[in-house]
Amino acid sequence: MRRSWSLVDLSIHPVDIALREPFGIATGAKTAALNVFVRATLADGSVGWGEAAPFEAVNGERREVALHGIERSRDALLGWDAVAWRTLGNRLRELSPESPSARCAVETAVLDAICASLNIPLATLFGGTESELESDLTITTGTADRAREAAFSIARQGYRTIKLKVGGAPLDADLARVRAVHEAAPSCALILDGNAALTADDAVTIAEECARIGARLAVFEQPCARHDDDAARSVHERARVMVCADESVASARDVARLARAGAAQAINLKITKSGVVECYDMAVTARAHGMALMVGGMVESSLAMSASAHLACGVGGVEFVDLDTPLWLVDEPVRAEMLRDGPRLSIASVARGHGARPTDGWLASRGGVA
Ligand SMILES: [Mg+2]
């Protein structure tokens, strides 16, 4: 007989993690990660952890909203049988429509607990295809000199791809930053991320500058406004560059719409934006439309990033891996079994679930787990 997967407890733990430097994107900057850890316990004693990482500058979501959404979900889900995990994302969307990060935290914790009960890594639940990934490293918004320094350091650490945040600045400043990054790291491929802040004309100009100086532009992520499919298609057609949707895509339904519109040739999967199972459905839908996949995140600790790595390894063949934000955190209070060696991530040694949880010291400092 199956062991009981009835959800018996969901504990909620706000966590403030300082950043080494502000994480700037076109629409704003983050100076601390004000996140939430969630622990799910099933009736058979299996425990799992999840993380909410709201990022107001990306989608307007604040931690208070996430906390409220998690509390509401907890009250409705206690006693629910997690054997129906495939439907949990939809249930959470009804319970907490305003907080995708709350949905992500609860779903990740439940899936982690299920995998603990089954004694399998989370990646196995999604296909178990791979155990290694190669991540890029991000250069946030700022000056050309700062971008040059960062690019030099990133290339020296062995990274082969740099994600450069553009937009929110005069066009000339972004062109100077592109040139600075390419001069400092000429062998690195570039991912440009406009965070929905560029006009199509400016995005095309930046892409053309990459071509002029010989920089390899692998993909242009969300150059234009979230709902402007015409602008995204225009950038793709005029600059002959692969466009990756991020802010424009949060569901499998969005993926199909973008494919029909010719407005994206790749999509960025983020569990904090869409939930874990929805990300899996988005990956399958994208594949059916011949689109490439990126896996990324908000400003997350190694807890949510471990879950994302498992999703990517489970699906397999994810072309662009952007799982770098734990490197921005000062003393993240997380013990993760996923190994990080420069750009290389490995989940090969993770036996159960996503293999990450808050440290005992941090939990003790908070009075333990209630
Ligand atoms: Mg993005």
Side-chain angles (χ1 to χ4, degrees):
M1 201 170 79
R2 178 172 66 82
R3 288 172 289 178
S4 174
W5 283 354
S6 173
L7 182 67
V8 295
D9 187 49
L10 200 69
S11 62
I12 304 168
H13 309 267
V15 54
D16 297 7
I17 314 174
L19 302 191
R20 295 181 194 283
E21 55 186 283
F23 193 93
I25 66 172
T27 49
K30 213 170 166 60
T31 53
L34 304 182
N35 294 357
V36 186
F37 293 150
V38 170
R39 188 187 76 155
T41 307
L42 305 183
D44 71 352
S46 303
V47 165
W49 287 91
E51 179 179 13
F55 194 161
E56 192 172 8
V58 173
N59 62 4
E61 200 188 340
R62 298 163 59 88
R63 178 160 66 182
E64 304 82 74
V65 176
L67 281 169
H68 190 58
I70 297 167
E71 285 164 5
R72 196 156 2 97
S73 302
R74 175 194 59 198
D75 296 345
L77 288 172
L78 285 179
W80 168 78
D81 190 344
V83 73
W85 61 269
R86 196 70 178 75
T87 63
L88 179 57
N90 289 338
R91 184 86 193 276
L92 288 166
R93 198 172 296 110
E94 291 164 13
L95 291 166
S96 175
E98 74 295 347
S99 179
S101 78
R103 306 196 304 255
C104 167
V106 174
E107 193 183 24
T108 304
V110 168
L111 291 172
D112 191 35
I114 287 172
C115 290
S117 180
L118 292 172
N119 208 20
I120 59 169
L122 181 58
T124 303
L125 203 62
F126 294 111
T129 311
E130 297 165 355
S131 60
E132 312 267 330
L133 300 168
E134 181 176 342
S135 182
D136 63 28
L137 193 49
T138 299
I139 299 176
T140 58
T141 52
T143 65
D145 284 345
R146 166 77 190 81
R148 186 190 314 275
E149 266 173 45
F152 187 71
S153 163
I154 289 169
R156 210 176 39 193
Q157 293 172 64
Y159 288 87
R160 298 194 295 176
T161 306
I162 291 174
K163 179 186 269 201
L164 179 64
K165 294 287 190 181
V166 293
L171 177 61
D172 284 349
D174 273 337
L175 294 173
R177 292 171 69 244
V178 166
R179 288 191 292 270
V181 167
H182 180 60
E183 283 165 18
S187 63
C188 286
L190 294 183
I191 297 171
L192 300 178
D193 186 357
N195 284 108
L198 293 167
T199 64
D201 285 350
D202 283 359
V204 169
T205 301
I206 295 171
E208 287 174 346
E209 182 70 358
C210 288
R212 190 186 70 78
I213 63 177
R216 188 156 54 88
L217 178 54
V219 61
F220 207 138
E221 186 179 336
Q222 194 70 45
C224 304
R226 164 182 323 216
H227 298 299
D228 196 342
D229 291 351
D230 291 342
R233 187 175 59 245
S234 163
V235 172
H236 168 63
E237 290 174 353
R238 292 159 62 199
R240 296 191 183 84
V241 64
M242 181 188 285
V243 168
C244 177
D246 183 2
E247 282 85 343
S248 296
V249 64
S251 66
R253 187 175 180 168
D254 289 338
V255 175
R257 188 199 82 236
L258 291 167
R260 279 195 301 271
Q265 295 71 48
I267 59 160
N268 191 341
L269 303 168
K270 292 178 174 173
I271 62 171
T272 302
K273 177 177 69 175
S274 307
V276 185
V277 173
E278 186 69 28
C279 275
Y280 177 80
D281 289 344
M282 290 164 71
V284 172
T285 308
R287 287 264 164 77
H289 288 94
M291 297 161 109
L293 299 174
M294 179 183 295
V295 63
M298 303 296 185
V299 180
E300 300 166 9
S301 78
S302 294
L303 204 162
M305 288 263 141
S306 292
S308 296
H310 276 258
L311 176 74
C313 285
V315 169
V318 172
E319 286 86 350
F320 307 105
V321 177
D322 179 33
L323 297 179
D324 61 349
T325 60
L327 302 174
W328 264 259
L329 306 179
V330 180
D331 296 330
E332 61 166 349
V334 174
R335 195 184 71 210
E337 293 169 20
M338 177 172 77
L339 300 178
R340 186 184 285 275
D341 178 16
R344 282 167 289 283
L345 303 175
S346 173
I347 63 163
S349 60
V350 179
R352 279 177 297 282
H354 51 60
R357 52 166 287 160
T359 61
D360 293 341
W362 184 82
L363 287 169
S365 75
R366 311 262 314 166
V369 178

